[in-house]
Amino acid sequence: MVNTPPSQASETQYQVENPQAEVEAIIETPDSDADIDLEFLYTRDIEFRQETIYFIVIDRFHDGNPGNNKGFNSELYDPEKKEWGKYWGGDLKGIIDKLDYLRNLGVTAIWLTPLFEQVEELFIESAAIHGYWTKDFKRLNPRFIAPDDEPSLNKTQDTRNTVFDRLIEELHKRNMKLILDIVCNHSSPDTGGSKGELYDDGVKIADFNDDKDNWYHHYGEVNNWEDEWQVQNCELCGLATFNENNIQYRNYIKSAIKQWLDRGVDALRVDTVKHMPIWFWQEFNSEMYNHKPDVFIFGEWIYSRPDDDLSVEFANNSGMTILDFGLCMALRQALGTNDEAGFYLINDVLKQDYRYNGATELITFIDNHDMHRFLTLNPDVDNLRLAVDFLMTSRGIPCLFYGTEQYLHNDTNGDNNIYGNNDPYNRPMMDTWDTETPIYWDVRKLSGLRRLNPAISMGSQWEKYITPDVFCYVRRYNGSRCFVALNRGDTVTLEEVDTELPDREHTCVLTGRKFEVKDGKIYNFELGAKEAIVISHVGERLKAQTIVRAQLNGVQTQLGERIVVIGDCPELGNWDIGKAYPLEYINPNTWFAEIPFNESAGKLISYKYVMLREGTSPLRENLLARRWVIASEGTVKWRDTWASGTES
Ligand code: NOJ
Ligand code: CA
């Protein structure tokens, strides 16, 4: 169900879910910990922040159909898997074959490298195995599908029985989601004299070298990365760069992506977002949300950082969240290259969460196809495990690069540079499928916990103890808590550490170790070398016909000040401030609450936020009340920004 905004709408990204199954599962699932019933928690209707993402380079995952390996140009295929720039055979059937492996790992959403039809030539000794040199955004790369699927038999988007459709079906059958990687910034580089030849379901529509209709920018390569105009208009690595001012181009790319959404794609990962102006993304995203209201979208702003104004501005105003490169680099320094500042580096990034409107929605990761694999930085598998355990329990939505759980890495040309790009050696063929590795098990357990415990997916993060080697933190939301302790060094004993857990004996989800909590603390807390401890406590969850996840940004509160929401309906106290609904502090820029609606589900309501201050009168927002039609069922989001207050 969609919340329908009346004319004066708050800044809201629609999110349509049916939380019933989720909420019931959470209420009935026992508050532990060691024994999470994963099956019970699998539902496609989960909030995206509860997902565990797994990123796959399709060609390097699994060859499920050797019949498609040669594609249109057999020269680009290397059956020996020695030439790293050539295709090695992975395909969509291979992914279908491994879906049970992935689901068992706890993966709930897979992000696939772009699967559109690519140029079939080598460029700097590399074929487009990665999928970022598109020829036709409406067709699939023939190497990833079945030989008689589109487009070789000239089937079009109307065809609905391809291996792609089967992949979606098989994913959805398992309550898993598909994230499609899309590229709006560019098509292809110069291969054999042709550049940017673009097709619309088989019909040629543009050509960089014969650009009568101005589909492309022609300003040459970016040479000053500090110049925003150049970054947005010039070329990246010789790739033909689309001219977003051309409405034909915009209609083409939007219609192409909508077709994939219609075929069942659940979410989008968007390439090179810093290379196009924000207005393009705002227009593009609103159109995607109108077309498929519950689509989740995140972008790649390369090397985004919380202290980089442009990337933060993009995350806050473009309509999509972003991949969290800032946290990734801190993790790589702290646990990859063992920087002496250790966990302080990570904490310094978290301390800047207030710069984002939605820090809990950032996509977190430790490596990807554009940088050295973590194990190439540091072959210590215990450090890798600590990094993964952090990702799975910290704020943000974790994304694992394929093979992490199998310790997959190839160190050719490896070095210890956290920014280094050892493409293509970071894209080895997945070759083992061991379901008993320690990381496989950690991910499995913690992915279940992300769905079980809302403090992990939506809550605030509180530092409890920190040194370069030891980091203890609590995730907190409503009555739920998750206490995490990570130790990169030798065994230590902490005299006491605050856990915020209820007083009783608790069991660590990962190790099964038992801990007595008294006054909310663990005394004489012994943490083994390279050990990770995770203790979860799930409070009572909401049950309602409609749940509104209300997020308020931009309000500066001092100690003792609280935010509530009041409105003209019983759920919001009928304007009686004594009955207003409380929001919870997430960080200095974000207050959040899940608000249950029963009586007013399906009705038009008015509301505004109020700051309650000790010893003085409440400060109400200074605006005509916000108005909203509450969905008749399901879960929806309000994204509001505090309107300056007026004394009352
Ligand atoms: C970022 C992608 O992740 C990278 O692999 C690709 O080469 C560039 N964008 C260009 O599309
Ligand atoms: Ca194949």
Side-chain angles (χ1 to χ4, degrees):
M1 271 301 138
V2 185
N3 247 7
T4 319
S7 50
Q8 178 250 334
S10 43
E11 287 257 314
T12 298
Q13 174 185 324
Y14 305 100
Q15 182 93 7
V16 183
E17 298 154 12
N18 179 350
Q20 220 47 41
E22 171 208 357
V23 173
E24 268 157 28
I26 285 165
I27 288 172
E28 286 162 28
T29 307
D31 169 14
S32 211
D33 294 330
D35 195 22
I36 297 159
D37 184 347
L38 277 175
E39 287 306 311
F40 203 38
L41 289 170
Y42 255 104
T43 157
R44 268 189 79 221
D45 300 320
I46 56 178
E47 145 86 34
F48 213 89
R49 282 175 288 186
Q50 293 173 293
E51 307 282 357
T52 297
I53 303 173
Y54 190 86
F55 169 37
I56 295 175
V57 176
I58 305 171
D59 181 62
R60 301 297 158 89
F61 194 60
H62 184 52
D63 185 0
N65 182 353
N68 58 15
N69 290 357
K70 291 186 178 161
F72 292 147
N73 177 359
S74 60
E75 295 279 294
L76 303 186
Y77 169 58
D78 173 23
E80 304 294 320
K81 302 184 178 48
K82 290 199 173 111
E83 292 178 75
W84 286 78
K86 292 194 173 174
Y87 285 96
W88 287 358
D91 49 34
L92 298 188
K93 172 70 170 45
I95 295 171
I96 296 176
D97 292 348
K98 296 297 180 188
L99 283 185
D100 288 331
Y101 165 90
L102 292 173
R103 190 173 188 275
N104 196 40
L105 169 63
V107 168
T108 60
I110 58 170
W111 153 21
L112 302 182
T113 43
L115 32 76
F116 315 114
E117 189 179 356
Q118 300 290 297
V119 291
E120 283 279 324
E121 303 277 346
L122 290 179
F123 174 63
I124 325 179
E125 293 176 28
S126 181
I129 72 121
H130 43 66
Y132 296 104
W133 302 340
T134 303
K135 174 178 169 189
D136 192 333
F137 283 92
K138 294 191 180 170
R139 287 195 172 182
L140 294 166
N141 187 332
R143 287 188 163 79
F144 298 157
I145 54 180
D148 60 349
D149 275 348
E150 63 189 334
S152 53
L153 286 187
N154 212 18
K155 291 181 190 167
T156 69
Q157 280 285 332
D158 297 332
T159 309
R160 284 291 185 276
N161 190 24
T162 67
V163 68
F164 171 78
D165 301 285
R166 281 202 295 286
L167 171 65
I168 298 260
E169 202 181 297
E170 292 297 328
L171 277 165
H172 290 178
K173 217 193 271 174
R174 290 168 176 79
N175 286 317
M176 296 165 79
K177 292 178 183 155
L178 181 66
I179 304 168
L180 184 69
D181 198 335
I182 63 165
V183 192
C184 300
N185 177 63
H186 54 262
S187 57
S188 53
D190 187 332
T191 51
S194 65
K195 176 170 174 177
E197 290 191 10
L198 186 73
Y199 290 74
D200 183 339
D201 201 7
V203 178
K204 188 169 169 185
I205 48 169
D207 184 339
F208 182 88
N209 291 327
D210 181 19
D211 194 11
K212 299 182 280 296
D213 297 325
N214 297 314
W215 277 61
Y216 291 104
H217 289 307
H218 294 264
Y219 300 113
E221 192 72 17
V222 178
N223 53 43
N224 177 4
W225 286 87
E226 302 307 311
D227 180 337
E228 203 187 338
W229 183 89
Q230 279 200 24
V231 172
Q232 290 181 1
N233 292 281
C234 295
E235 288 176 8
L236 165 72
C237 307
L239 293 159
T241 295
F242 287 121
N243 169 17
E244 62 281 342
N245 301 304
N246 180 333
I247 186 68
Q248 282 173 290
Y249 155 69
R250 301 212 301 280
N251 289 340
Y252 165 76
I253 197 75
K254 288 190 268 190
S255 69
I257 306 309
K258 284 184 203 166
Q259 288 182 343
W260 298 111
L261 292 177
D262 290 344
R263 285 173 76 163
V265 164
D266 301 286
L268 303 173
R269 177 271 186 188
V270 190
D271 195 57
T272 35
V273 293
K274 78 190 277 188
H275 295 278
M276 297 183 83
I278 199 164
W279 68 258
F280 169 81
W281 297 114
Q282 289 163 339
E283 178 183 307
F284 178 85
N285 288 335
S286 9
E287 212 160 313
M288 295 305 121
Y289 294 130
N290 284 350
H291 193 73
K292 187 160 190 163
D294 58 346
V295 66
F296 185 87
I297 310 179
F298 61 96
E300 177 232 18
W301 182 292
I302 202 147
Y303 299 125
S304 64
R305 287 192 331 262
D307 57 355
D308 170 59
D309 290 347
L310 287 178
S311 54
V312 171
E313 215 252 318
F314 182 87
N316 290 345
N317 297 321
S318 64
M320 65 173 113
T321 184
I322 58 173
L323 284 151
D324 190 351
F325 280 89
L327 188 63
C328 170
M329 291 305 149
L331 273 158
R332 289 164 73 81
Q333 266 176 287
L335 293 167
T337 53
N338 275 328
D339 188 290
E340 61 179 27
F343 284 114
Y344 282 113
L345 294 171
I346 295 173
N347 210 29
D348 284 349
V349 174
L350 299 177
K351 279 187 187 157
Q352 298 173 73
D353 275 358
Y354 68 89
R355 299 219 61 214
Y356 296 106
N357 285 348
T360 55
E361 285 189 338
L362 295 168
I363 309 294
T364 56
F365 60 105
I366 52 172
D367 54 13
N368 68 19
H369 58 326
D370 293 328
M371 59 182 76
H372 296 99
R373 279 187 177 255
F374 192 92
L375 283 179
T376 297
L377 292 181
N378 181 351
D380 185 336
V381 292
D382 292 328
N383 273 36
L384 176 66
R385 188 177 174 199
L386 287 172
V388 168
D389 293 343
F390 173 85
L391 274 193
M392 297 295 297
T393 54
S394 185
R395 64 92 177 117
I397 307 167
C399 176
L400 294 172
F401 193 28
Y402 77 100
T404 301
E405 74 287 5
Q406 299 297 331
Y407 309 105
L408 183 70
H409 64 123
N410 179 301
D411 300 335
T412 312
N413 292 346
D415 58 31
N416 256 17
N417 175 0
I418 58 159
Y419 291 96
N421 174 0
N422 75 337
D423 161 19
Y425 305 105
N426 52 6
R427 306 164 185 186
M429 197 77 196
M430 181 87 167
D431 52 3
T432 53
W433 307 91
D434 182 354
T435 55
E436 299 295 332
T437 72
I439 292 190
Y440 191 96
W441 272 94
D442 280 11
V443 173
R444 179 180 160 82
K445 289 176 181 163
L446 297 176
S447 147
L449 204 59
R450 293 187 62 77
R451 279 166 281 148
L452 177 70
N453 188 333
I456 302 178
S457 51
M458 295 184 281
S460 50
Q461 174 136 353
W462 300 88
E463 165 200 327
K464 293 295 172 179
Y465 182 90
I466 187 161
T467 66
D469 283 348
V470 178
F471 193 17
C472 301
Y473 52 90
V474 166
R475 305 299 312 282
R476 178 200 298 166
Y477 175 64
N478 213 343
S480 297
R481 297 288 183 276
C482 184
F483 169 75
V484 180
L486 304 171
N487 180 14
R488 135 187 125 155
D490 297 331
T491 302
V492 285
T493 302
L494 313 185
E495 225 169 272
E496 60 173 60
V497 60
D498 183 25
T499 66
E500 298 192 15
L501 294 164
D503 287 359
R504 60 177 167 82
E505 188 182 74
H506 293 268
T507 308
C508 168
V509 175
L510 299 178
T511 61
R513 282 181 63 192
K514 309 261 185 222
F515 294 93
E516 194 60 39
V517 171
K518 202 165 161 280
D519 309 322
K521 295 176 179 158
I522 301 176
Y523 293 94
N524 296 317
F525 179 45
E526 192 189 298
L527 200 48
K530 309 267 180 180
E531 191 173 31
I533 296 292
V534 177
I535 304 175
S536 160
H537 166 76
V538 182
E540 218 169 285
R541 291 301 310 274
L542 287 179
K543 206 171 180 179
Q545 199 170 320
T546 304
I547 291 176
V548 170
R549 293 197 168 123
Q551 177 179 298
L552 181 70
N553 293 122
V555 59
Q556 306 295 329
T557 46
Q558 309 296 324
L559 213 61
E561 294 174 345
R562 293 181 296 121
I563 301 293
V564 296
V565 53
I566 52 170
D568 65 351
C569 53
E571 292 89 342
L572 300 180
N574 281 321
W575 298 122
D576 176 351
I577 215 148
K579 296 184 185 149
Y581 199 91
L583 268 63
E584 184 166 325
Y585 174 93
I586 302 295
N587 66 43
N589 174 33
T590 306
W591 286 74
F592 173 76
E594 292 170 297
I595 311 173
F597 283 89
N598 291 310
E599 223 173 310
S600 310
K603 296 187 185 152
L604 174 65
I605 64 144
S606 299
Y607 67 96
K608 63 166 68 176
Y609 298 94
V610 181
M611 187 191 291
L612 301 184
R613 306 174 292 183
E614 271 166 26
T616 176
S617 56
L619 189 65
R620 289 175 161 83
E621 277 190 295
N622 183 5
L623 46 63
L624 181 70
R626 302 168 189 273
R627 290 157 58 237
W628 204 263
V629 177
I630 301 290
S632 53
E633 60 176 352
T635 303
V636 289
K637 286 185 178 177
W638 291 348
R639 301 278 171 87
D640 293 319
T641 303
W642 171 253
S644 60
T646 179
E647 304 286 338
S648 52

